[in-house]
Amino acid sequence: MKKIWSNYKQTIILLGALIIGAIVIFAFKYFSKELGEYNEKQENRNEIKTYEYTEEIRQKINMYDNANEIYFVEGRAKVTKDNKWGFVDTEGNVKVDVKYDKVYDFTKGIAKVIKDNKYGIVDMEGNMVAELIYDNIYPFVGDYAKV
């Protein structure tokens, strides 16, 4: 009986060490930062990946009023010119026309936009997913949003 208990304790200790090791590896991969060419807010976290722009991208982005405050979410950055908002991609190309009164960050490939006090939703390429006809669009819960 004593030998069985000793083997049982060793097995528990070994399993605990494996579990802790797996947690450490997961945490390292999950929280490590990569380098690149732009800032990217991390979904569900307040981390921001910080990168340097190439000169070509910097020239494209410098035309916007918020050029010094740009960050990317899901590969798109909010930009403003003459009090109108839109989105550019990581290369500085316009993806959602700069024509909205307000835009929100992308979440799962869509973003809420406002024009003339009406709400709508656009996709990553600027296509209207929900037309600008709503008085409000509340945050999504799963696949649904209250309008």
Side-chain angles (χ1 to χ4, degrees):
M1 183 70 171
K2 194 172 193 179
K3 186 168 179 118
I4 293 172
W5 177 251
S6 177
N7 289 342
Y8 181 71
K9 282 190 343 188
Q10 289 174 350
T11 302
I12 295 293
I13 291 170
L14 180 61
L15 285 174
L18 289 173
I19 291 170
I20 290 171
I23 291 170
V24 168
I25 290 169
F26 171 78
F28 178 76
K29 287 184 176 182
Y30 186 75
F31 292 109
S32 65
K33 295 181 182 179
E34 300 173 21
L35 298 177
E37 298 177 324
Y38 55 88
N39 293 331
E40 173 98 24
K41 268 192 171 178
Q42 298 299 295
E43 187 176 333
N44 299 325
R45 292 185 275 163
N46 289 326
E47 291 181 32
I48 296 180
K49 293 181 182 178
T50 303
Y51 306 97
E52 290 187 25
Y53 293 97
T54 63
E55 188 56 35
E56 179 184 349
I57 296 170
R58 187 180 308 280
Q59 287 175 358
K60 288 181 181 179
I61 289 178
N62 278 342
M63 68 180 281
Y64 298 105
D65 299 339
N66 65 327
N68 294 327
E69 302 166 0
I70 287 179
Y71 62 88
F72 289 81
V73 175
E74 296 189 13
R76 299 292 183 263
K78 295 188 283 192
V79 291
T80 183
K81 185 76 173 167
D82 301 326
N83 292 323
K84 295 296 180 183
W85 290 86
F87 290 93
V88 296
D89 64 13
T90 58
E91 299 296 317
N93 302 313
V94 174
K95 289 298 181 179
V96 176
D97 291 334
V98 182
K99 64 181 183 181
Y100 298 100
D101 299 329
K102 185 173 183 178
V103 296
Y104 293 82
D105 288 334
F106 276 92
T107 303
K108 297 181 181 177
I110 58 173
K112 184 166 55 170
V113 296
I114 303 171
K115 185 173 183 181
D116 299 328
N117 292 322
K118 292 295 180 182
Y119 289 70
I121 296 175
V122 295
D123 68 10
M124 301 284 280
E125 300 301 318
N127 302 311
M128 293 303 297
V129 175
E131 295 297 324
L132 292 160
I133 59 172
Y134 300 101
D135 293 329
N136 197 352
I137 297 177
Y138 296 91
F140 277 81
V141 176
D143 292 336
Y144 300 96
K146 181 180 174 184
V147 293

